[in-house]
Amino acid sequence: SQTIHQWPATLVQPVGSPLSLECTVEGTSNPNLYWYRQAAGRGLQLLFYSVGIGQISSEVPQNLSASRPQDRQFILSSKKLLLSDSGFYLCAWSGQGPASWETQYFGPGTRLLVL
Amino acid sequence: QQPVQSPQAVILREGEDAVINCSSSKALYSVHWYRQKHGEAPIFLMILLKGGEQKGHDKISASFNEKKQQSSLYLTASQLSYSGTYFCGTGRGSSNTGKLIFGQGTTLQVKP
């Protein structure tokens, strides 16, 4: 069966510090991968998605970046965090088909607080 | 173009029914429904593809009216475990654009 991992689970970082969040998927190959952010009490905002190694599409211009160095690894990074980067970061995976009919499965999330 | 969910919040007693609506101003290919408990990841409930189909899962079912560009989630005889925030995610095409656009969520609270 497929499993998706995210770490760390919780992170408190000062403004201006760098960020690296990691997501890995087990039990499948060639998945589509996604990064979402959820502000407190709000909906899911798609940040990045990837359909293959090294292929990243950005949805929201901001100080975050994503990379996919391996087939089942997705990394979210920032060089300098802003207060507005605080939130709940969710990684998700789906099969290789179109997003319209592929189920997205979410990881446990990373709660980031920027102070 | 984020889909609009209504109502924003609803409070029920155990055993009561609820309907959550998801409407889009754009043509839809699919609607995905998720439930999220506080502090946890969203859990997939069901996908509906265009064609006006209706699906059911235990006492939770949904319909999709592509002409009206809307979907409704029906929760019957609600249980305490149904509490959480429900999101609809809309897919607009059959190409691999990689995107679902999620609504703002509907918070459901079921009381004993």
Side-chain angles (χ1 to χ4, degrees):
Chain A
S1 64
Q2 300 84 10
T3 310
I4 180 168
H5 303 279
Q6 283 186 247
W7 64 89
T10 305
L11 194 59
V12 181
Q13 292 285 94
V15 169
S17 63
L19 174 74
S20 180
L21 302 181
E22 189 163 344
C23 170
T24 58
V25 181
E26 295 177 353
T28 187
S29 54
N30 302 316
N32 283 353
L33 296 172
Y34 310 85
W35 277 112
Y36 290 88
R37 178 170 60 199
Q38 187 175 33
R42 305 293 293 276
L44 299 162
Q45 179 188 31
L46 178 64
L47 301 175
F48 302 94
Y49 68 92
S50 171
V51 299
I53 295 174
Q55 300 178 64
I56 309 294
S57 294
S58 174
E59 289 298 305
V60 182
Q62 54 203 336
N63 69 321
L64 298 173
S65 62
S67 62
R68 185 171 177 174
Q70 300 180 43
D71 180 46
R72 289 169 290 177
Q73 184 185 30
F74 206 20
I75 297 172
L76 183 70
S77 303
S78 173
K79 292 182 179 178
K80 288 186 178 183
L81 284 168
L82 306 173
L83 287 174
S84 57
D85 291 325
S86 294
F88 191 38
Y89 287 81
L90 290 157
C91 179
W93 76 271
S94 74
Q96 263 289 321
S100 288
W101 67 62
E102 290 284 352
T103 300
Q104 292 188 19
Y105 299 96
F106 289 85
T110 293
R111 195 161 302 280
L112 172 67
L113 179 60
V114 182
L115 299 175
Chain B
Q1 294 77 16
Q2 184 182 36
V4 176
Q5 290 185 231
S6 61
Q8 286 189 316
V10 58
I11 300 175
L12 300 174
R13 294 285 180 188
E14 267 188 298
E16 293 181 338
D17 302 340
V19 180
I20 299 172
N21 300 303
C22 174
S23 297
S24 173
S25 60
K26 302 289 185 180
L28 299 177
Y29 188 88
S30 65
V31 179
H32 305 225
W33 285 99
Y34 288 80
R35 176 173 61 211
Q36 184 180 30
K37 302 279 187 178
H38 182 69
E40 299 179 5
I43 300 298
F44 169 74
L45 294 176
M46 63 188 77
I47 289 180
L48 300 102
L49 302 180
K50 71 174 185 177
E53 67 174 293
Q54 187 155 349
K55 280 194 174 181
H57 175 68
D58 195 10
K59 293 179 181 177
I60 299 175
S61 62
S63 63
F64 177 26
N65 187 322
E66 63 186 280
K67 290 184 180 179
K68 292 185 177 180
Q69 297 161 187
Q70 64 185 38
S71 175
S72 295
L73 185 72
Y74 307 95
L75 301 104
T76 58
S78 58
Q79 307 167 15
L80 294 176
S81 61
Y82 287 3
S83 293
T85 301
Y86 290 78
F87 293 98
C88 67
T90 54
R92 293 199 43 215
S94 58
S95 64
N96 193 1
T97 61
K99 288 196 292 186
L100 288 181
I101 308 298
F102 285 90
Q104 81 280 15
T106 295
T107 301
L108 176 72
Q109 184 179 5
V110 181
K111 293 186 174 181

